[in-house]
Amino acid sequence: MVGAVSFHDAHPGVADLRREVLDGLSARPRAIPPKFFYDERGSALFDRICDLPEYYQTRTEMAILHRALPELVDLIGSESLLVELGSGASKKVRLLLEELRPNGYVGVDISKEFLLSSTQALARDYPWLEVHAACVDFSAGLEIPHCDVPLHKVAFYPGSSIGNFDPDDAVRLLADVGSMVGQGGHLLIGVDLKKPVGLLHAAYNDAAGITAEFNLNLLRRIRTELDTDLDPGSFEHYAFYNPLQGRIEMHLISRIRQEVRIEDGIFAFEPGEGIHTENSYKYTVAEFAGLAARAQFRQQAVWQDDGALFSVQLLQYMS
Ligand code: AVJ
């Protein structure tokens, strides 16, 4: 029932992929932004990562949310518009919808297929809810339709995807969210915490090799969508924790000396030379309070698991 969900499309097209890949491979260090992981296969691989035994994040966040719900509902109140950033195939938002019972829901995601199927399923399962879908790359600004209504706005940004942004960019994104929710509005955000390096290393180097497949899928996507002789098999997944920056880094490292042609660019790689594909910043609760404060948000409540692996934070915009 496509008609039940209003749909706004600003999906980055193949032209964006071409431009960002060519720019990213021409720069030093070479880098391609992680938002391009999420084509249909990449989104499905990410869902499998979320179920991995080593990847503590998803199930921990779900359990924290569960425990926080009664308090959350008290703090947020009803008569709200819930805007979920990076909605993908989220089960977490269902928990919120059922307890919070907002007037409206806007799902925002860069992956069109996942966004459409997940919002359609929500519209089907919650007939009382007004559901909107906005296919938007919100790292490029938060122009989200349907938000111009006199309701208390609650942005929901689960999964610690904020960790993909360098701190200054994270502050900019939070500030954009602040302008969207307005004075007194809320941001409910999942933030992965600093922890012993062994746990982090395992989470990004899983035994089943799904994270490696997810990283390498970026090269498969380039091969499918662009004109290239790139061989994904000539690169390998490499992920490590960088304690100086407080972040996991993922790279794709060339196994061999090679020249790769992409469209009309030629890119030379020595063995061991790579492409930086993702950062995933980890914060202490206090560090994240500082980051939020730079964007005029105050940490109103913080919930975490007993092992202090992950946090769910309620921030309020105080402009
Ligand atoms: C979706 C950005 C939160 O950083 O843990 C998972 C993506 N990358 N495994 C993360 C990811 C490798 C994930 N985020």
Side-chain angles (χ1 to χ4, degrees):
M1 233 193 23
V2 184
V5 177
S6 80
F7 188 67
H8 171 83
D9 191 1
H11 192 249
V14 68
D16 298 274
L17 176 70
R18 182 182 304 118
R19 182 172 36 79
E20 296 214 35
V21 165
L22 293 179
D23 286 356
L25 294 185
S26 306
R28 291 295 178 276
R30 292 178 169 132
I32 300 173
K35 65 184 178 192
F36 291 113
F37 282 139
Y38 301 92
D39 63 356
E40 210 171 349
R41 182 168 181 271
S43 297
L45 282 166
F46 180 66
D47 270 4
R48 290 179 62 193
I49 289 177
C50 291
D51 290 332
L52 289 169
E54 299 96 330
Y55 198 76
Y56 54 86
Q57 296 189 34
T58 315
R59 60 176 172 275
T60 308
E61 182 177 42
M62 191 75 182
I64 297 169
L65 258 182
H66 224 282
R67 282 213 319 225
L69 269 175
E71 224 181 308
L72 249 178
V73 172
D74 276 352
L75 290 168
I76 292 176
S78 53
E79 294 299 302
S80 59
L81 178 72
L82 186 67
V83 182
E84 189 186 21
L85 305 174
S87 65
S90 175
K91 280 172 245 160
K92 298 161 198 160
V93 76
R94 290 177 170 257
L95 214 57
L96 267 185
L97 289 171
E98 282 160 26
E99 298 298 316
L100 209 57
R101 293 222 147 218
N103 301 56
Y105 167 84
V106 186
V108 184
D109 201 279
I110 195 169
S111 169
K112 193 176 185 168
E113 295 77 15
F114 265 58
L115 177 64
L116 261 183
S117 60
S118 62
T119 48
Q120 280 165 9
L122 289 180
R124 186 193 57 221
D125 296 345
Y126 305 111
W128 48 269
L129 183 67
E130 198 176 307
V131 177
H132 302 281
C135 192
V136 167
D137 171 10
F138 54 79
S139 61
L142 258 182
E143 285 304 317
I144 298 172
H146 321 295
C147 286
D148 198 16
V149 288
L151 289 168
H152 182 82
K153 283 174 208 84
V154 182
F156 181 45
Y157 194 26
S160 199
S161 293
I162 191 72
N164 273 170
F165 297 89
D166 289 337
D168 287 350
D169 291 332
V171 170
R172 265 188 287 275
L173 174 58
L174 293 182
D176 285 346
V177 174
S179 327
M180 182 190 71
V181 299
Q183 168 67 27
H186 280 108
L187 167 60
L188 182 65
I189 186 166
V191 181
D192 198 16
L193 299 175
K194 285 208 161 86
K195 60 180 60 61
V197 180
L199 294 173
L200 286 171
H201 188 269
Y204 293 85
N205 292 279
D206 62 279
I210 310 298
T211 308
E213 217 28 67
F214 173 73
N215 196 7
L216 285 160
N217 182 60
L218 184 60
L219 300 180
R220 287 182 49 156
R221 176 176 191 178
I222 290 169
R223 202 185 51 186
T224 308
E225 297 188 25
L226 304 182
D227 177 24
T228 178
D229 61 7
L230 172 65
D231 170 19
S234 66
F235 286 83
E236 66 188 343
H237 166 71
Y238 188 67
F240 64 97
Y241 184 67
N242 177 338
L244 301 174
Q245 308 269 11
R247 69 192 190 195
I248 285 280
E249 295 187 17
M250 292 213 312
H251 299 258
L252 289 161
I253 306 289
S254 182
R255 300 173 186 275
I256 54 172
R257 170 176 217 169
Q258 60 179 325
E259 285 192 341
V260 177
R261 183 188 62 79
I262 302 176
E263 307 281 340
D264 39 17
I266 305 277
F267 305 97
F269 289 88
E270 293 297 324
E273 260 194 310
I275 308 166
H276 189 173
T277 52
E278 184 172 49
N279 288 323
S280 189
Y281 283 86
K282 312 302 172 188
Y283 294 99
T284 65
V285 170
E287 278 170 351
F288 201 77
L291 200 83
R294 287 172 60 197
Q296 255 64 254
F297 273 102
R298 70 165 180 123
Q299 229 171 23
Q300 192 177 3
V302 178
W303 299 271
Q304 54 183 51
D305 56 298
D306 294 338
L309 296 173
F310 199 91
S311 69
V312 173
Q313 311 196 5
L314 185 66
L315 310 179
Q316 189 168 36
Y317 191 56
M318 297 295 184
S319 61

